[in-house]
Amino acid sequence: MGLAVLLLVFVFGLVIGVPVAVTLGLASLAYLTYMGIPAVVMPQKMYAGMDVFVLLSIPGFILAGNLMNRGGITHRIIRFANALVGWVRGGLGLTNVGASMLFGGITGTAVADAASIGGVMIPGMKKAGYTPEFSAAVTAASSTVGPIIPPSVPMIIVGALSGISVGKMFLAGAIPGILMGIAMMVTAYIIAVRQNFPRQNWLGASEIVRSFGGAFWALAMTAIIIYGLLSGIATPTETAVIASVYAFVVGAFIYRELPIREVPKIIIDSAISSAAILVLVGFANVFGWILVSERIPQAIAASVLQFTDNKYVVILIINILLLFVGMFMETIAALIILFVPLLALAQAVGIDPLHFATFAVLNLMIGLTTPPLGVCLFVCANIARVPLTPVVIAILPFLVTNILVLFLVSYVPAIATWLPSVLTR
Amino acid sequence: MSVTRLETFFITLCRAGILLAFGALILSVLIQVLGRTFGSSPVWTEELTRFALLYIAAFGAGLSLRSGDLVNVDIVCESLKGNWPWRLRLLSALCTAGLCTILILPAWQYVSIGRLQTSPAVEVRMDFVHASVLVLLFILLVFSLIRIIGMVLGSDQGLPDRKEEVS
């Protein structure tokens, strides 16, 4: 009965639009009250949930991304991506995907990618003769590679929830992220040929070299992050703070586009984004503690295993469930609530936790572009100034592509696990 | 003091708290890295970093409610006809305020427990650290109350005050 109270309050809170974090708190409080457990457990568990070493890196990575973003990185990355692939038919679509892949190595959040790249690319594509809905769709779809290619805020959260190494997860995301990017470039190209979208002039190898020189300092941040984590000389938190200091120096003194007076505002904005995640993690820790006390992860695993213990069918079930949830729920919230229960199920059928973490994060990132609740869709449709429906239709080919990559990663574990196994021996 | 002035006061307070906590986080991590590179790093840096993070959450919570970063699922309530979206936004703010109000006393109890403990490295009394949860709930309560009052008085629609996208 206690469990019914928990779930009823949770669903009610979600439906009436209470913030997800508060909903988790309300449901937990209702459960504790019903079961006669003292409410002091709540602040205690909230504290324990937020006081996790791995979470320390979240504000740093968000700040580094925001500083780079404001420091003039966007147009340099777009110029470099354009020099590489802009000359192909529908080249600006490919540039858009390429820029998201490069940008993903810096920010770690999809919405930041969609807003930054979209702010420059969508008006540029419209001006060059691309339809606004295609421009918005390709930007939204490609922004989802951001949290797959390291660094990744969702992966840090998974690390905090499950104890899986954040460094290994970052590496596990690299190949799937690149695969997703390439697949979306192919999709953008096919659409461009069919719709006869324009191509840019080939600007020559010298433009590639020149634009690489411009983007070098920004791209080097990805290398610093990967090196910091792989070499073991720095923890994820230290790497994130070093990346922030680096981003500040590059933006303020090398690119000279980061106004120093804006730094406090950027810090505050980064802290607000981080706080929202931490509050969610804090309340979710109480909720998760109740679920574990009620043995819900085991119950979910047992009920699915009663139906099938076939690993491949279980992967299919998990993916369908996450895709469905991702359509209606914010990604981080879905991850926090569902990851641990589903991890128990995945481990019960012998799925490697690192592999599971990779395809679960990839799956929920796709949810950022699925209606009715696809944050990146909203952001890009808003920038393109078009209604949501045509963008939803235009994004369908990209969704199919991303789901195909998801299933490839889900059924071929080596795509995720090979790189960490080689580099972290 | 008018509601607007009260809101401005708390926004300023939270921003100052964020800058202090974020500054402490960055500084202690840099001391840790530099210390390790050029000798040995002090033992208190990791602990101070953790405490700073808790206060980033505490001071940022209210502002995240205000900005809409504290996400909700609004597809049902915002698609309703007439005055229902407004009513549900008010109910949502009331739920937030209610939860925080109920949890203030347990949070105070939790803070009191911390009085008996001292952190091993920074050697600060743990009630000052546990107080981050109390501050978080209090600030969340203040901003939800400000939203409720604004909605009742008609100066606020209860919609998030989206922060400017970093372009």
Side-chain angles (χ1 to χ4, degrees), chain A residues 183-339:
Chain A
M184 277 189 281
M185 280 190 181
V186 172
T187 310
Y189 175 73
I190 294 169
I191 295 170
V193 170
R194 283 189 174 180
Q195 300 199 16
N196 202 24
F197 286 145
R199 70 171 75 184
Q200 313 290 111
N201 291 328
W202 165 245
L203 299 169
S206 60
E207 170 61 9
I208 294 180
V209 176
R210 268 199 306 274
S211 59
F212 176 75
F216 171 79
W217 294 105
L219 298 177
M221 196 163 104
T222 311
I224 290 173
I225 292 168
I226 300 283
Y227 177 72
L229 291 171
L230 274 187
S231 62
I233 58 164
T235 62
T237 310
E238 291 167 353
T239 308
V241 170
I242 293 167
S244 297
V245 174
Y246 175 84
F248 170 73
V249 172
V250 170
F253 303 112
I254 297 177
Y255 290 163
R256 295 184 184 186
E257 287 187 34
L258 175 67
I260 292 180
R261 66 176 183 282
E262 278 195 24
V263 172
K265 185 187 178 303
I266 295 170
I267 291 177
I268 289 166
D269 283 350
S270 308
I272 292 172
S273 305
S274 311
I277 295 171
L278 289 163
V279 174
L280 192 56
V281 170
F283 280 115
N285 197 46
V286 192
F287 192 83
W289 173 73
I290 294 169
L291 292 185
V292 171
S293 310
E294 289 278 351
R295 300 181 59 79
I296 297 302
Q298 290 86 341
I300 291 174
S303 56
V304 174
L305 291 174
Q306 213 172 22
F307 166 63
T308 177
D309 59 356
N310 184 312
K311 184 175 165 178
Y312 301 103
V313 178
V314 170
I315 288 176
L316 182 70
I317 292 170
I318 291 174
N319 272 320
I320 291 172
L321 174 72
L322 289 177
L323 281 171
F324 180 75
V325 171
M327 287 169 68
F328 299 96
M329 195 179 256
E330 198 271 336
T331 313
I332 303 283
L335 197 64
I336 288 173
I337 297 164
L338 289 173
F339 188 81

Side-chain angles (χ1 to χ4, degrees), chain B residues 16-35:
Chain B
I18 283 173
L19 288 175
L20 262 174
F22 220 128
L25 187 146
I26 292 175
L27 211 66
S28 55
V29 171
L30 288 178
I31 291 172
Q32 193 170 306
V33 174
L34 291 173

Side-chain angles (χ1 to χ4, degrees), chain A residues 14 16-20 29 40 43 47 51 53 56 59 69 233 238 241 267-269 271-273 275-276 279 328 330, chain B residues 18 22 29 32 36 46 49-50 53-54 60 64 67 69 71-73 91-92 102 106-107 110 126 129 163 166-167:
Chain A
L14 283 187
I16 66 164
V18 178
V20 180
L29 183 67
V40 71
Y47 177 92
D51 186 29
F53 182 71
L56 288 168
N69 197 3
I233 58 164
E238 291 167 353
V241 170
I267 291 177
I268 289 166
D269 283 350
I272 292 172
S273 305
V279 174
F328 299 96
E330 198 271 336
Chain B
I18 283 173
F22 220 128
V29 171
Q32 193 170 306
R36 206 175 49 237
E46 191 213 307
T49 313
R50 279 179 20 229
L53 181 78
L54 290 166
S64 70
S67 67
D69 283 69
V71 288
N72 65 341
V73 181
L91 182 58
S92 162
I102 294 169
Y110 181 57
M126 284 304 285
V129 184
K163 67 175 185 252
V166 181
S167 55

